[in-house]
Structures are given as structure tokens and as C-alpha cells.
Amino acid sequence: FLFLLGGYFKIIIDTKAVDGFISLLIDKLGNKVLIVIPILMLVMSLLGDAGVLINPVVAFIPIGILLANRLKLDPICAVAVTFVAAYQGFSTTQICGPTLQTAQAIAELPILSGFGYRFVIWAIIFIVTAVYTMRYAKKVSKDPQNSIIYGEYELMEVKEEHITKFEAKHGIIMLIMLVGFGIYSYGAVKYSWGMDYMAAIFFIVGVSGGIVGGLNGDQIVKSFVEGCKEMCFSAMLMGCAAAISILLTEGSILHTITHSFALFLQNFPSYISAPLMYVANVIVNFFVSSGSGQAVVVMPIMTPLSDLVGVSRQLAVCAYQFGDGLSNCIFPTNGTMMACIALAGVKYDKWLKWILPLFVIWSVIIMIALTIGVMIGIS
């Protein structure tokens, strides 16, 4: 499933439809900071939500830098409107296959169940992230000395001819992708379609998008194979994680871990246990940076644990999902984040100074949301 989605999305990426669409936004909105930033972040968040832009988001840093050049902002803004926005969407996704759907399958939950609850959390986290970024961007645009990295950077020059111009075919490809997600989301909610249906639908989306984008048969196949190759590391981690899970189960070690966690959490009411599950997943993500790999490691533990401490399995999946996704923006073990800030020329300590307050705000919101989820009986 990971290989297939990686291949299909790579075909779409190689048509330059996403690049062209984002370039169109920048061209049309010009230097209107308070308009262009939230709209671009919304697009990146939705692409992250869909699972299209996770590792490939590195390729969009130059577009963020182009925007920073035009608006006289610093490279932190370039990373925020691309990487942070995409990972915010990915972290609170309602549909992403490799993470959410994998975790729900392990927890024996209907695929895409809890859509409305996650959508509300996605919306709140997105608004907070956009406002936080816009406030910083506004301060920097008024006075460059307000930049956290003032005097330490020169914006990378991105030549206009290297930017993809939006064409009619790009609009058609984006529409095909939107229709594909719409059909799958409807089928998953209405008819309980699983990951096999998503793979089948996005085979059609990827190939038809490649044809509309002007790719020939060889180019479509090469893009597909390249996308599969990019998923190799995640797939290997997922395989290793599955092996660990089997060893833990067959050796009855999993039961000991679950029992130990249960003894600890039984001292707390369920509305506190759920936020503690989130904290545990944040810690695990430092060591297991693959979202799909972490799902295979932690969900066999979190599923029976949630039953024991009175937290619904749906909220256990949420605790994993949020803990894994959001902490990717602060941990140096996330290679994608390190690649993004390196490409933008931002040192890790300066990046941490900017992102850490936002991560704390995210965490407070998530803990409140999980507590409310327990109290209102999300299941």
C-alpha cells in the first residue's frame, strides 16, 4: 500500500500540477501578506492531509522562498508556509492511508471513522498555525530586525523561469485528484471501503493525471518506480516495526508492557489517561520517526490499553496520530524537517526557537481535545 500510494502521488507531483497551482496563487495574490500566506498554507495543509505532501514537501521549499523574496520575509516563513502547513494537515488528517488508516485497521475500527471529530481538530490547529505564522511574517515585513535569524541569512534567489506556470492541464489534474479523494471518502464512510479501494482509485487518478499532464508511458512508469523508491525507507521501518510487534506479542512481552502502562494509568481518570497517551506517542516518535512504523509499534499496545483504562480506541488512534505527526516539526530525527530547514538555510536551534512555542500551543489544544473526546464519548 505504501509503495502504491508513493508511486501514484509521484506521478501527480511530476506533472508539476501542484507547483503550477501554487505559483498561480502567488502570482494572483502578489504581496498581500495577510491573504497569500493563509491561502497557500491551506493548500499545503490539504495536500498534507491527503498524504500527497509528506516527504515530497522538500521540493516545495524553493516555492516558499520565492514567496519570502516577494514579501520581504525570512527563510523561516518559507519553511512555515510549506513544511509546517503540510505537516499540520498530515498530523490531523482524516483520510491519510499510511498512518490513520493503518492505525484504525490495527485498532479494528471502521476506516475513516471519527471523521468529524478529526476535522474540527484539523480546523482549529490550522487556524492557530496560520495566525501564528502571519503574526511573525507581519513583524518581519515591518522590520527585518524582528526576524529570529536577522543578519544570518540571505534569501536564496529563485529564478522566475524555474517556476512552473499554471496551465489548463494542471487545473484538470488537480480536479481529477480532488474527485478521486471525494469518491474514496464517500465510499469509505458509506460503504466501508478500505485501503485496497484507495489504492485502486489512485491508480486511476495517477495514470489519468499523468496522461493529462503530457507524460508518456515510459515517464509514467519511471515516476511510479521513483515514488516507490522514496517509500522504501518507510516500508522497511514498517516491516521492522511489524517484526518487533510480533516478537512482543508471541513472547508475551506486549502483555507485560500493557499491564505496566495500565497499572500506571489506572491511577488517573480516563480524561487524563488520553492526554498521557498523546505524551507517550510524542516520546516514541523521537525514536521511531516513521508514522506508519510507529502505528505498527504502538497501536498493538494502545488498543488493549485503551480498553483497560476506559479510553475509546478511536481516541487511542487520535493520541497516536497527533503525537506522531505534530512532533515531526521539532525532532531532529525527522529527516524531512532537517532537509527543509537546511535547504532554507535555517539553523536547527533558531528553528526550534520559532517552532517550539507553536508546538506547545498545539499540544495544549490536543490535550484539551482528547479530554473533551473522553467526556463526550467519542467512539
Side-chain angles (χ1 to χ4, degrees), residues 141-163:
S141 65
K142 284 184 177 180
D143 184 357
Q145 293 188 33
N146 289 324
S147 170
I148 291 175
I149 53 175
Y150 176 71
E152 297 182 13
Y153 71 91
E154 290 183 10
L155 285 173
M156 182 178 74
E157 184 178 353
V158 180
K159 295 182 179 179
E160 297 289 335
E161 59 264 29
H162 293 164
I163 301 300

PDB file of all heavy atoms in Angstrom, residues 141-163:
ATOM      1  N   SER A 141       8.028  41.689   8.067  1.00  0.00           N
ATOM      2  CA  SER A 141       7.832  42.576   6.915  1.00  0.00           C
ATOM      3  C   SER A 141       7.895  44.044   7.319  1.00  0.00           C
ATOM      4  O   SER A 141       8.345  44.895   6.544  1.00  0.00           O
ATOM      5  CB  SER A 141       6.490  42.284   6.232  1.00  0.00           C
ATOM      6  OG  SER A 141       5.413  42.586   7.094  1.00  0.00           O
ATOM      7  N   LYS A 142       7.475  44.353   8.561  1.00  0.00           N
ATOM      8  CA  LYS A 142       7.551  45.735   9.043  1.00  0.00           C
ATOM      9  C   LYS A 142       8.979  46.125   9.395  1.00  0.00           C
ATOM     10  O   LYS A 142       9.420  47.246   9.125  1.00  0.00           O
ATOM     11  CB  LYS A 142       6.645  45.909  10.270  1.00  0.00           C
ATOM     12  CG  LYS A 142       5.167  45.985   9.942  1.00  0.00           C
ATOM     13  CD  LYS A 142       4.366  46.252  11.209  1.00  0.00           C
ATOM     14  CE  LYS A 142       2.877  46.395  10.888  1.00  0.00           C
ATOM     15  NZ  LYS A 142       2.064  46.650  12.106  1.00  0.00           N
ATOM     16  N   ASP A 143       9.702  45.185  10.013  1.00  0.00           N
ATOM     17  CA  ASP A 143      11.071  45.456  10.426  1.00  0.00           C
ATOM     18  C   ASP A 143      11.871  44.148  10.393  1.00  0.00           C
ATOM     19  O   ASP A 143      11.645  43.260  11.226  1.00  0.00           O
ATOM     20  CB  ASP A 143      11.095  46.045  11.838  1.00  0.00           C
ATOM     21  CG  ASP A 143      12.504  46.445  12.280  1.00  0.00           C
ATOM     22  OD1 ASP A 143      13.470  46.202  11.509  1.00  0.00           O
ATOM     23  OD2 ASP A 143      12.642  46.997  13.389  1.00  0.00           O
ATOM     24  N   PRO A 144      12.800  44.006   9.435  1.00  0.00           N
ATOM     25  CA  PRO A 144      13.589  42.772   9.322  1.00  0.00           C
ATOM     26  C   PRO A 144      14.324  42.389  10.604  1.00  0.00           C
ATOM     27  O   PRO A 144      14.663  41.220  10.796  1.00  0.00           O
ATOM     28  CB  PRO A 144      14.577  43.089   8.192  1.00  0.00           C
ATOM     29  CG  PRO A 144      13.899  44.155   7.388  1.00  0.00           C
ATOM     30  CD  PRO A 144      13.132  44.969   8.382  1.00  0.00           C
ATOM     31  N   GLN A 145      14.571  43.369  11.485  1.00  0.00           N
ATOM     32  CA  GLN A 145      15.275  43.068  12.725  1.00  0.00           C
ATOM     33  C   GLN A 145      14.428  42.210  13.673  1.00  0.00           C
ATOM     34  O   GLN A 145      14.950  41.660  14.645  1.00  0.00           O
ATOM     35  CB  GLN A 145      15.690  44.364  13.417  1.00  0.00           C
ATOM     36  CG  GLN A 145      16.743  45.155  12.650  1.00  0.00           C
ATOM     37  CD  GLN A 145      17.274  46.328  13.447  1.00  0.00           C
ATOM     38  OE1 GLN A 145      17.378  46.270  14.667  1.00  0.00           O
ATOM     39  NE2 GLN A 145      17.627  47.411  12.758  1.00  0.00           N
ATOM     40  N   ASN A 146      13.135  42.100  13.381  1.00  0.00           N
ATOM     41  CA  ASN A 146      12.264  41.244  14.184  1.00  0.00           C
ATOM     42  C   ASN A 146      12.439  39.769  13.847  1.00  0.00           C
ATOM     43  O   ASN A 146      11.892  38.909  14.543  1.00  0.00           O
ATOM     44  CB  ASN A 146      10.799  41.638  13.980  1.00  0.00           C
ATOM     45  CG  ASN A 146      10.463  42.966  14.619  1.00  0.00           C
ATOM     46  OD1 ASN A 146      10.980  43.299  15.696  1.00  0.00           O
ATOM     47  ND2 ASN A 146       9.604  43.750  13.979  1.00  0.00           N
ATOM     48  N   SER A 147      13.198  39.485  12.796  1.00  0.00           N
ATOM     49  CA  SER A 147      13.437  38.094  12.420  1.00  0.00           C
ATOM     50  C   SER A 147      14.316  37.403  13.456  1.00  0.00           C
ATOM     51  O   SER A 147      15.300  37.981  13.943  1.00  0.00           O
ATOM     52  CB  SER A 147      14.120  38.029  11.046  1.00  0.00           C
ATOM     53  OG  SER A 147      14.563  36.718  10.778  1.00  0.00           O
ATOM     54  N   ILE A 148      13.977  36.157  13.770  1.00  0.00           N
ATOM     55  CA  ILE A 148      14.774  35.363  14.706  1.00  0.00           C
ATOM     56  C   ILE A 148      16.180  35.154  14.174  1.00  0.00           C
ATOM     57  O   ILE A 148      17.132  35.010  14.945  1.00  0.00           O
ATOM     58  CB  ILE A 148      14.075  34.017  14.988  1.00  0.00           C
ATOM     59  CG1 ILE A 148      12.799  34.255  15.802  1.00  0.00           C
ATOM     60  CG2 ILE A 148      15.000  33.041  15.717  1.00  0.00           C
ATOM     61  CD1 ILE A 148      11.970  33.010  16.039  1.00  0.00           C
ATOM     62  N   ILE A 149      16.311  35.142  12.859  1.00  0.00           N
ATOM     63  CA  ILE A 149      17.628  34.901  12.245  1.00  0.00           C
ATOM     64  C   ILE A 149      18.138  36.156  11.538  1.00  0.00           C
ATOM     65  O   ILE A 149      18.865  36.074  10.548  1.00  0.00           O
ATOM     66  CB  ILE A 149      17.554  33.712  11.255  1.00  0.00           C
ATOM     67  CG1 ILE A 149      16.430  33.930  10.237  1.00  0.00           C
ATOM     68  CG2 ILE A 149      17.348  32.412  11.989  1.00  0.00           C
ATOM     69  CD1 ILE A 149      16.384  32.851   9.154  1.00  0.00           C
ATOM     70  N   TYR A 150      17.785  37.312  12.065  1.00  0.00           N
ATOM     71  CA  TYR A 150      18.227  38.571  11.453  1.00  0.00           C
ATOM     72  C   TYR A 150      19.751  38.613  11.362  1.00  0.00           C
ATOM     73  O   TYR A 150      20.456  38.320  12.322  1.00  0.00           O
ATOM     74  CB  TYR A 150      17.738  39.763  12.279  1.00  0.00           C
ATOM     75  CG  TYR A 150      18.230  41.101  11.754  1.00  0.00           C
ATOM     76  CD1 TYR A 150      17.741  41.617  10.565  1.00  0.00           C
ATOM     77  CD2 TYR A 150      19.201  41.812  12.462  1.00  0.00           C
ATOM     78  CE1 TYR A 150      18.195  42.842  10.080  1.00  0.00           C
ATOM     79  CE2 TYR A 150      19.655  43.033  11.987  1.00  0.00           C
ATOM     80  CZ  TYR A 150      19.161  43.539  10.793  1.00  0.00           C
ATOM     81  OH  TYR A 150      19.631  44.733  10.307  1.00  0.00           O
ATOM     82  N   GLY A 151      20.244  38.961  10.186  1.00  0.00           N
ATOM     83  CA  GLY A 151      21.681  39.071   9.969  1.00  0.00           C
ATOM     84  C   GLY A 151      22.371  37.755   9.674  1.00  0.00           C
ATOM     85  O   GLY A 151      23.571  37.731   9.405  1.00  0.00           O
ATOM     86  N   GLU A 152      21.627  36.643   9.708  1.00  0.00           N
ATOM     87  CA  GLU A 152      22.234  35.337   9.499  1.00  0.00           C
ATOM     88  C   GLU A 152      21.850  34.713   8.161  1.00  0.00           C
ATOM     89  O   GLU A 152      22.218  33.582   7.878  1.00  0.00           O
ATOM     90  CB  GLU A 152      21.811  34.375  10.612  1.00  0.00           C
ATOM     91  CG  GLU A 152      22.258  34.784  12.002  1.00  0.00           C
ATOM     92  CD  GLU A 152      21.843  33.762  13.044  1.00  0.00           C
ATOM     93  OE1 GLU A 152      21.432  32.644  12.652  1.00  0.00           O
ATOM     94  OE2 GLU A 152      21.925  34.077  14.245  1.00  0.00           O
ATOM     95  N   TYR A 153      21.104  35.437   7.338  1.00  0.00           N
ATOM     96  CA  TYR A 153      20.616  34.799   6.118  1.00  0.00           C
ATOM     97  C   TYR A 153      20.619  35.761   4.936  1.00  0.00           C
ATOM     98  O   TYR A 153      20.589  36.975   5.080  1.00  0.00           O
ATOM     99  CB  TYR A 153      19.188  34.289   6.314  1.00  0.00           C
ATOM    100  CG  TYR A 153      18.143  35.394   6.414  1.00  0.00           C
ATOM    101  CD1 TYR A 153      17.481  35.857   5.283  1.00  0.00           C
ATOM    102  CD2 TYR A 153      17.838  36.003   7.637  1.00  0.00           C
ATOM    103  CE1 TYR A 153      16.540  36.871   5.364  1.00  0.00           C
ATOM    104  CE2 TYR A 153      16.895  37.008   7.737  1.00  0.00           C
ATOM    105  CZ  TYR A 153      16.248  37.435   6.592  1.00  0.00           C
ATOM    106  OH  TYR A 153      15.323  38.444   6.685  1.00  0.00           O
ATOM    107  N   GLU A 154      20.653  35.157   3.785  1.00  0.00           N
ATOM    108  CA  GLU A 154      20.368  35.839   2.538  1.00  0.00           C
ATOM    109  C   GLU A 154      19.403  34.935   1.788  1.00  0.00           C
ATOM    110  O   GLU A 154      19.691  33.757   1.572  1.00  0.00           O
ATOM    111  CB  GLU A 154      21.634  36.054   1.706  1.00  0.00           C
ATOM    112  CG  GLU A 154      22.584  37.083   2.297  1.00  0.00           C
ATOM    113  CD  GLU A 154      23.788  37.311   1.393  1.00  0.00           C
ATOM    114  OE1 GLU A 154      23.762  36.808   0.246  1.00  0.00           O
ATOM    115  OE2 GLU A 154      24.725  37.967   1.835  1.00  0.00           O
ATOM    116  N   LEU A 155      18.268  35.471   1.404  1.00  0.00           N
ATOM    117  CA  LEU A 155      17.276  34.641   0.742  1.00  0.00           C
ATOM    118  C   LEU A 155      17.842  34.060  -0.551  1.00  0.00           C
ATOM    119  O   LEU A 155      18.471  34.759  -1.341  1.00  0.00           O
ATOM    120  CB  LEU A 155      16.018  35.457   0.431  1.00  0.00           C
ATOM    121  CG  LEU A 155      15.110  35.755   1.633  1.00  0.00           C
ATOM    122  CD1 LEU A 155      14.005  36.706   1.226  1.00  0.00           C
ATOM    123  CD2 LEU A 155      14.521  34.488   2.193  1.00  0.00           C
ATOM    124  N   MET A 156      17.644  32.760  -0.726  1.00  0.00           N
ATOM    125  CA  MET A 156      18.104  32.080  -1.924  1.00  0.00           C
ATOM    126  C   MET A 156      17.342  32.617  -3.127  1.00  0.00           C
ATOM    127  O   MET A 156      16.114  32.709  -3.111  1.00  0.00           O
ATOM    128  CB  MET A 156      17.876  30.576  -1.791  1.00  0.00           C
ATOM    129  CG  MET A 156      18.363  29.754  -2.960  1.00  0.00           C
ATOM    130  SD  MET A 156      18.096  27.973  -2.673  1.00  0.00           S
ATOM    131  CE  MET A 156      16.323  27.870  -2.921  1.00  0.00           C
ATOM    132  N   GLU A 157      18.067  32.978  -4.172  1.00  0.00           N
ATOM    133  CA  GLU A 157      17.415  33.504  -5.361  1.00  0.00           C
ATOM    134  C   GLU A 157      16.792  32.363  -6.158  1.00  0.00           C
ATOM    135  O   GLU A 157      17.443  31.376  -6.490  1.00  0.00           O
ATOM    136  CB  GLU A 157      18.413  34.247  -6.239  1.00  0.00           C
ATOM    137  CG  GLU A 157      17.767  34.905  -7.451  1.00  0.00           C
ATOM    138  CD  GLU A 157      18.765  35.687  -8.292  1.00  0.00           C
ATOM    139  OE1 GLU A 157      19.918  35.831  -7.868  1.00  0.00           O
ATOM    140  OE2 GLU A 157      18.367  36.135  -9.382  1.00  0.00           O
ATOM    141  N   VAL A 158      15.511  32.495  -6.428  1.00  0.00           N
ATOM    142  CA  VAL A 158      14.809  31.508  -7.248  1.00  0.00           C
ATOM    143  C   VAL A 158      14.406  32.200  -8.541  1.00  0.00           C
ATOM    144  O   VAL A 158      13.583  33.110  -8.543  1.00  0.00           O
ATOM    145  CB  VAL A 158      13.558  30.964  -6.523  1.00  0.00           C
ATOM    146  CG1 VAL A 158      12.851  29.936  -7.401  1.00  0.00           C
ATOM    147  CG2 VAL A 158      13.945  30.356  -5.194  1.00  0.00           C
ATOM    148  N   LYS A 159      15.006  31.785  -9.649  1.00  0.00           N
ATOM    149  CA  LYS A 159      14.736  32.429 -10.932  1.00  0.00           C
ATOM    150  C   LYS A 159      13.320  32.115 -11.396  1.00  0.00           C
ATOM    151  O   LYS A 159      12.847  31.001 -11.283  1.00  0.00           O
ATOM    152  CB  LYS A 159      15.754  31.961 -11.974  1.00  0.00           C
ATOM    153  CG  LYS A 159      17.185  32.399 -11.641  1.00  0.00           C
ATOM    154  CD  LYS A 159      18.151  31.958 -12.714  1.00  0.00           C
ATOM    155  CE  LYS A 159      19.571  32.419 -12.374  1.00  0.00           C
ATOM    156  NZ  LYS A 159      20.544  31.986 -13.406  1.00  0.00           N
ATOM    157  N   GLU A 160      12.675  33.149 -11.939  1.00  0.00           N
ATOM    158  CA  GLU A 160      11.290  33.017 -12.354  1.00  0.00           C
ATOM    159  C   GLU A 160      11.097  31.912 -13.394  1.00  0.00           C
ATOM    160  O   GLU A 160      10.082  31.225 -13.413  1.00  0.00           O
ATOM    161  CB  GLU A 160      10.788  34.361 -12.921  1.00  0.00           C
ATOM    162  CG  GLU A 160      10.767  35.501 -11.916  1.00  0.00           C
ATOM    163  CD  GLU A 160       9.678  35.327 -10.872  1.00  0.00           C
ATOM    164  OE1 GLU A 160       8.682  34.649 -11.158  1.00  0.00           O
ATOM    165  OE2 GLU A 160       9.835  35.852  -9.761  1.00  0.00           O
ATOM    166  N   GLU A 161      12.127  31.746 -14.282  1.00  0.00           N
ATOM    167  CA  GLU A 161      11.971  30.729 -15.326  1.00  0.00           C
ATOM    168  C   GLU A 161      11.980  29.308 -14.772  1.00  0.00           C
ATOM    169  O   GLU A 161      11.611  28.364 -15.460  1.00  0.00           O
ATOM    170  CB  GLU A 161      13.067  30.878 -16.393  1.00  0.00           C
ATOM    171  CG  GLU A 161      14.482  30.769 -15.865  1.00  0.00           C
ATOM    172  CD  GLU A 161      15.104  32.130 -15.566  1.00  0.00           C
ATOM    173  OE1 GLU A 161      14.340  33.065 -15.243  1.00  0.00           O
ATOM    174  OE2 GLU A 161      16.327  32.250 -15.673  1.00  0.00           O
ATOM    175  N   HIS A 162      12.424  29.155 -13.515  1.00  0.00           N
ATOM    176  CA  HIS A 162      12.420  27.840 -12.888  1.00  0.00           C
ATOM    177  C   HIS A 162      11.094  27.528 -12.195  1.00  0.00           C
ATOM    178  O   HIS A 162      10.911  26.437 -11.675  1.00  0.00           O
ATOM    179  CB  HIS A 162      13.562  27.736 -11.872  1.00  0.00           C
ATOM    180  CG  HIS A 162      14.917  27.776 -12.513  1.00  0.00           C
ATOM    181  ND1 HIS A 162      16.072  28.021 -11.803  1.00  0.00           N
ATOM    182  CD2 HIS A 162      15.309  27.601 -13.805  1.00  0.00           C
ATOM    183  CE1 HIS A 162      17.123  28.000 -12.621  1.00  0.00           C
ATOM    184  NE2 HIS A 162      16.668  27.747 -13.842  1.00  0.00           N
ATOM    185  N   ILE A 163      10.192  28.503 -12.193  1.00  0.00           N
ATOM    186  CA  ILE A 163       8.895  28.326 -11.556  1.00  0.00           C
ATOM    187  C   ILE A 163       7.872  27.867 -12.595  1.00  0.00           C
ATOM    188  O   ILE A 163       7.763  28.438 -13.673  1.00  0.00           O
ATOM    189  CB  ILE A 163       8.423  29.643 -10.899  1.00  0.00           C
ATOM    190  CG1 ILE A 163       9.449  30.100  -9.857  1.00  0.00           C
ATOM    191  CG2 ILE A 163       7.055  29.470 -10.281  1.00  0.00           C
ATOM    192  CD1 ILE A 163       9.688  29.104  -8.742  1.00  0.00           C
TER     193      ILE A 163
END
